Amino acid sequence: MKIQSLISLNPSLSILISAFSQAQCRLVYYPPNAVCIEYMIPVNLTAAVSNFNGTKWTDNAGLTDFVTDFVGRVPGFPSPLSTPQNVTSHFTIGSTFCTPKIANTSHADTVILASHGFGFDRSYWSLAYEPEKYNFVDFAISQGYSVFFYDRLGVGSSSRISGFTNQFSIQPSILIELAGLLKAGKYTGNIGVPRAVTLIGHSFGSILTHGVAVYAPQAVDEIVLTGYGLNFSTIDLPLVLQGWNVRIAETASAEVDAGYLTWVDLYANINMLVSINCAQGTKETYNAIRFFKALGYDISAAQFLEANKQPFAVGELLTAEPSLSKFPVPKFSGPVLLINGAYCVDVLQHPAAELFSSSMNFESHVQPGMSHAMNLHYNATGYYRVVTDFLSDNGF
């Protein structure tokens, strides 16, 4: 994938919003020991985007008809996507930068750039729900780190575009540019140019992070991949659509069209049926990805997620590059941590270590008692500790 993008480097062009603006306080928690600033960052980029060839549904009946045809591959059912063509667009990305009020000089100038996955917005990293248990930003701040977290295109306060054209190729372009801005000391509050920028992703956000390591390895110093097993050869996308029993997302924004989807209910997300073929010459198949695993979570945490779930674009789902998980990363030499829950495809070391063969320090970790929605399990602070210890042990 060839990525060409330009972004304004002038933070005065952003809209600086109070850290406690009413628009975000419902879901995002800002730690009392942090200075947090919200930004709206203008982005101009060029990415390869496909046209959606199928009939664009307007209701759930039409969506269900598409899913049935797509899953069954009925005779004559055409590819839903055309050949990609470069498209130049302007977007605005909603984001937050938090840094400790009392700077720990050994860590505060390391900025952790966090990308969320499907079903979330940037609040995934700083949930208002019982933040002492489920808040990555709160924990990272307590360890002296700065965190920059943002809404992916199409959700939260970031720009809205059609769910049929909001596609995978756009998202790594945005992440690469955000990393470049942070490295240049833009949108980093009063810390100026940071000593290091570390990427952390969850699920789809980890696919984007992997993409940055492949396409722009110079953009970051260290990466952390969470909710991302890298031990599979294929994911059965039709079965994902079936397992979630997808519906058109109900949102308050008139700018979100019927191309934005969500899972049907809480229980479809707790235990989503999906076929995953392992990658080590075996025929073993995992039949479920669990966002939550019994005894590892409080049902009220899952209910909080369900009540505040965010849509994802059908274009993202259809164009996400599962093959990217097999892409070697020969030019990224920084440290890499791959961490997953014990109940979410937990074979990690291979082939991931081979993919990141140039890394100065590759580590994998399986967090016990945890499934895919890692920030909403009882053991969340345990994995937070693994992440910050890894950063510290590698000199960041």
Side-chain angles (χ1 to χ4, degrees):
M1 180 179 68
K2 184 177 181 180
I3 295 175
Q4 298 173 307
S5 37
L6 298 170
I7 188 168
S8 170
L9 295 179
N10 185 354
S12 66
L13 295 178
S14 71
I15 302 172
L16 181 59
I17 308 173
S18 164
F20 294 95
S21 68
Q22 292 183 350
Q24 292 294 327
C25 275
R26 291 184 303 105
L27 300 179
V28 182
Y29 170 86
Y30 294 137
N33 59 339
V35 176
C36 294
I37 306 169
E38 293 186 358
Y39 295 104
M40 298 292 288
I41 301 177
V43 179
N44 297 287
L45 59 86
T46 299
V49 177
S50 298
N51 288 322
F52 188 84
N53 285 332
T55 301
K56 295 181 180 179
W57 53 83
T58 58
D59 55 28
N60 283 317
L63 170 60
T64 302
D65 188 65
F66 168 81
V67 170
T68 302
D69 287 347
F70 183 73
V71 169
R73 295 293 200 278
V74 298
F77 184 72
S79 169
L81 299 171
S82 68
T83 302
Q85 301 291 330
N86 281 344
V87 176
T88 299
S89 304
H90 171 80
F91 308 121
T92 302
I93 303 300
S95 56
T96 301
F97 174 77
C98 291
T99 192
K101 282 184 177 177
I102 301 175
N104 177 338
T105 55
S106 64
H107 294 316
D109 57 355
T110 293
V111 177
I112 302 171
L113 170 51
S115 302
H116 62 86
F118 285 171
F120 300 99
D121 58 15
R122 72 180 184 258
S123 66
Y124 173 78
W125 299 105
S126 196
L127 289 168
Y129 179 80
E130 299 189 20
E132 69 282 1
K133 298 179 182 178
Y134 305 114
N135 194 296
F136 175 81
V137 172
D138 184 62
F139 188 91
I141 290 291
S142 75
Q143 303 304 301
Y145 289 95
S146 300
V147 186
F148 182 98
F149 50 115
Y150 70 101
D151 293 324
R152 284 199 346 269
L153 182 68
V155 301
S157 60
S158 289
S159 295
R160 303 291 201 270
I161 64 172
S162 170
F164 298 98
T165 56
N166 187 357
Q167 296 173 17
F168 173 82
S169 59
I170 301 171
Q171 304 284 359
S173 305
I174 293 171
L175 182 53
I176 289 168
E177 294 304 324
L178 291 177
L181 287 172
L182 297 180
K183 272 187 163 289
K186 311 298 180 181
Y187 309 106
T188 56
N190 61 6
I191 73 168
V193 176
R195 183 165 57 94
V197 173
T198 295
L199 294 191
I200 185 171
H202 172 252
S203 191
F204 185 70
S206 286
I207 298 178
L208 306 183
T209 300
H210 189 154
V212 172
V214 171
Y215 301 119
Q218 75 289 344
V220 294
D221 302 288
E222 183 177 37
I223 65 173
V224 177
L225 305 166
T226 75
Y228 192 50
L230 278 179
N231 66 320
F232 50 84
S233 58
T234 60
I235 293 181
D236 191 334
L237 177 57
L239 203 55
V240 172
L241 293 170
Q242 284 184 307
W244 265 339
N245 198 6
V246 290
R247 295 289 186 270
I248 296 172
E250 295 181 5
T251 70
S253 174
E255 299 171 330
V256 175
D257 65 16
Y260 283 91
L261 311 179
T262 189
W263 50 83
V264 65
D265 59 25
L266 170 65
Y267 302 101
N269 196 40
I270 284 179
N271 194 23
M272 178 181 69
L273 181 68
V274 54
S275 173
I276 300 180
N277 300 311
C278 291
Q280 297 168 9
T282 74
K283 294 183 179 180
E284 184 178 4
T285 297
Y286 291 85
N287 289 318
I289 289 180
R290 300 178 176 93
F291 265 59
F292 296 91
K293 172 61 178 172
L295 304 181
Y297 72 101
D298 185 333
I299 187 63
S300 62
Q303 291 167 339
F304 176 85
L305 167 59
E306 181 65 18
N308 296 287
K309 64 185 178 183
Q310 299 297 310
F312 53 87
V314 67
E316 292 178 303
L317 191 62
L318 294 177
T319 60
E321 297 187 22
S323 61
L324 187 62
S325 65
K326 296 183 289 184
F327 280 19
V329 189
K331 295 184 180 180
F332 183 76
S333 60
V336 177
L337 173 63
L338 179 61
I339 182 168
N340 215 342
Y343 299 108
C344 189
V345 195
D346 58 352
V347 182
L348 292 166
Q349 187 67 26
H350 304 284
E354 289 78 14
L355 293 177
F356 291 95
S357 59
S358 297
S359 170
M360 62 183 289
N361 181 24
F362 175 87
E363 292 186 17
S364 63
H365 178 80
V366 176
Q367 189 67 15
M370 182 173 285
S371 196
H372 190 60
M374 298 179 70
N375 282 5
L376 285 162
H377 280 72
Y378 290 134
N379 207 8
T381 55
Y383 112 76
Y384 300 160
R385 173 69 67 182
V386 172
V387 171
T388 57
D389 282 354
F390 180 79
L391 269 59
S392 179
D393 291 346
N394 283 280
F396 295 104

